[in-house]
Amino acid sequence: VVVLEAERSLGVHSSGRSAAHSHFGIGDAIVRQLTAASRDALLQPDAEGHAAAELQGALFVANEAMLPDLADLRARVTEHADPESVGEAELRELCPLLRIGDTGAVAGLYDRTALKLDADRMLQHAARGVRARGGQVITGAEVASIDRVGQEWIVGVRGGSEFKAPVIVNGAGAWADRIATLAGVPPVGLKPLRRTMIGVDHPVPASLPFTKTARDELYFLASGGALLASPVDEHPSAAIDAAPEEEDVAIAADRLERWTTVTVRRIAHCWAGLRTFAADRVPVVGWGEDGFFWLAGQGGIGLQTAPALAAAASALITDRTWPYAGIDPAALAPDRLINLRAS
Ligand SMILES: Cc1cc2nc3c(=O)[nH]c(=O)nc-3n(C[C@H](O)[C@H](O)[C@H](O)COP(=O)(O)OP(=O)(O)OC[C@H]3O[C@@H](n4cnc5c(N)ncnc54)[C@H](O)[C@@H]3O)c2cc1C
């Protein structure tokens, strides 16, 4: 196995720009199943005794107008977790930063089993696993050409090196349709959407949950001692090195001030990343043309579903038993998107 990464290090794009939280309040039933199927692997300590995940509760909050959204969310989250419905007093206790009552949250849903992920640990652990089994991870290797010769792919890297393999796994995130086009394989119509994150100088209680409005407006969480927030924005983008727009940063700060008692005096840092979706917002895992395998369209759930998507991909590539009784592989297969576009 050879992993070719265009950048000088791993995690320069989406995987290094995420909020790195795992909860059941995102995506459809398939995404929730993949999220549930990934939990054990994420909580499993590595050889040094460190796991990629630790518990960090997810608190979904609603003002009066969002109460129906909170009820919908409850129905979805309870498929896999046992969240508690909480009122104003508990909200105040769980998330002391929140504005409560007339001007803020009036009700919430708390899943204490949600997870904070360590994206860097996940990437480095995966890269170590490849190397330990005799594979290579080569950075600074931008794939510039892909040709099929007989039963093999010839992959040309900018600068001259060439690699031959019977199978290509297309895990190029926002660039995955471009990689398919290089290989002469039909693209599946992936859409990268930009999302903004800000980091604010403000003390954060150690137990602060990942807190998200029931309708997509704001989420905030503690990460490495900092307070991060996102306006849950989605702006269509080309596949590029995404950068935050001033207006989105201002909206993030404004919403944080409206939903919490935090005064944003200084934005310590901000960034944007691409969440790349297929038309039905379900990941794309499966064979395209002969020897060309898709592992893309991971949208906003690529970290929390990574172990399950990897197990699904590996089963299909090596022709082993499909690991998930409850998930139809056809629901992840790229064909569904080509049929969807045709209809
Ligand atoms: C702001 C934000 C918040 C998020 N929050 C969460 C969250 O809380 N939980 C969660 O599970 N997910 C979250 N996500 C989503 C998650 O980050 C993505 O689903 C996941 O990182 C996608 O991984 P990927 O490997 O497909 O893409 P990437 O990490 O972008 O990797 C694709 C790689 O392909 C490389 N590449 C492209 N073209 C070439 C080429 N020609 N040759 C060689 N290499 C190439 C790129 O350099 C890149 O490194 C969030 C994303 C963002 C942006």
Side-chain angles (χ1 to χ4, degrees):
V1 172
V2 178
V3 179
L4 298 174
E5 166 53 55
E7 300 289 349
R8 294 269 155 217
S9 53
L10 301 176
V12 169
H13 294 290
S14 303
S15 302
R17 302 183 187 198
S18 129
H21 188 85
S22 173
H23 62 84
F24 291 108
I26 186 169
D28 72 355
I30 298 175
V31 167
R32 288 192 290 281
Q33 274 173 297
L34 292 165
T35 301
S38 296
R39 282 181 62 90
D40 285 355
L42 291 167
L43 285 164
Q44 180 72 37
D46 62 16
E48 286 98 51
H50 302 295
E54 59 183 21
L55 289 178
Q56 181 184 56
L59 178 64
F60 302 99
V61 299
N63 55 19
E64 287 289 345
M66 292 183 188
L67 289 175
D69 304 273
L70 193 66
D72 285 352
L73 205 53
R74 175 173 235 297
R76 283 180 270 137
V77 174
T78 42
E79 286 168 18
H80 295 283
D82 189 16
E84 300 151 44
S85 289
V86 292
E88 294 185 10
E90 292 120 313
L91 282 175
R92 201 167 279 121
E93 211 170 288
L94 286 166
C95 185
L97 302 182
L98 267 179
R99 284 187 197 279
I100 309 283
D102 291 347
T103 59
V106 295
L109 186 68
Y110 183 53
D111 174 12
R112 60 182 68 245
T113 66
L115 303 174
K116 179 77 186 96
L117 309 177
D118 183 335
D120 187 53
R121 187 176 293 284
M122 288 171 71
L123 280 172
Q124 298 310 332
H125 178 74
R128 270 200 304 276
V130 170
R131 293 190 189 105
R133 291 167 180 80
Q136 295 178 67
V137 178
I138 307 178
T139 55
E142 183 190 342
V143 172
S145 66
I146 306 177
D147 297 293
R148 185 80 168 161
V149 179
Q151 291 304 300
E152 283 197 313
W153 294 102
I154 314 285
V155 175
V157 165
R158 196 172 299 285
S161 1
E162 243 181 37
F163 296 85
K164 284 186 201 168
V167 171
I168 287 179
V169 179
N170 179 13
W175 293 266
D177 267 349
R178 193 178 291 173
I179 289 290
T181 307
L182 274 184
V185 171
V188 294
L190 296 171
K191 299 259 185 299
L193 300 178
R194 190 184 68 245
R195 173 156 294 179
T196 313
M197 300 283 306
I198 62 171
V200 175
D201 274 340
H202 194 280
V204 272
S207 62
L208 192 75
F210 168 90
T211 306
K212 181 174 184 298
T213 52
R215 205 176 290 161
D216 280 354
E217 200 173 301
L218 173 77
Y219 67 68
F220 57 91
L221 72 161
S223 180
L227 179 63
L228 304 183
S230 171
V232 205
D233 51 343
E234 293 192 335
H235 307 283
S237 168
I240 53 169
D241 183 3
E245 299 271 329
E246 244 174 68
E247 189 187 350
D248 299 322
V249 171
I251 291 172
D254 176 60
R255 290 185 185 170
L256 187 64
E257 289 195 334
R258 278 197 288 118
W259 279 92
T260 70
T261 53
V262 172
T263 305
V264 180
R265 292 207 175 78
R266 196 175 81 83
I267 292 171
H269 55 300
C270 60
W271 71 91
L274 299 177
R275 299 156 78 249
T276 298
F277 291 92
D280 57 6
R281 294 199 164 219
V282 172
V284 188
V285 184
W287 293 106
E289 308 269 301
D290 201 18
F292 188 94
F293 193 88
W294 288 87
L295 182 49
Q298 295 170 26
I301 45 90
L303 295 179
Q304 69 186 55
T305 59
L309 290 180
S314 139
L316 290 171
I317 294 168
T318 58
D319 211 9
R320 278 182 288 127
T321 313
W322 178 251
Y324 304 114
I327 302 175
D328 179 1
L332 301 175
D335 293 4
R336 79 189 197 265
L337 297 163
I338 290 158
N339 299 339
L340 203 73
R341 288 169 102 197
S343 66

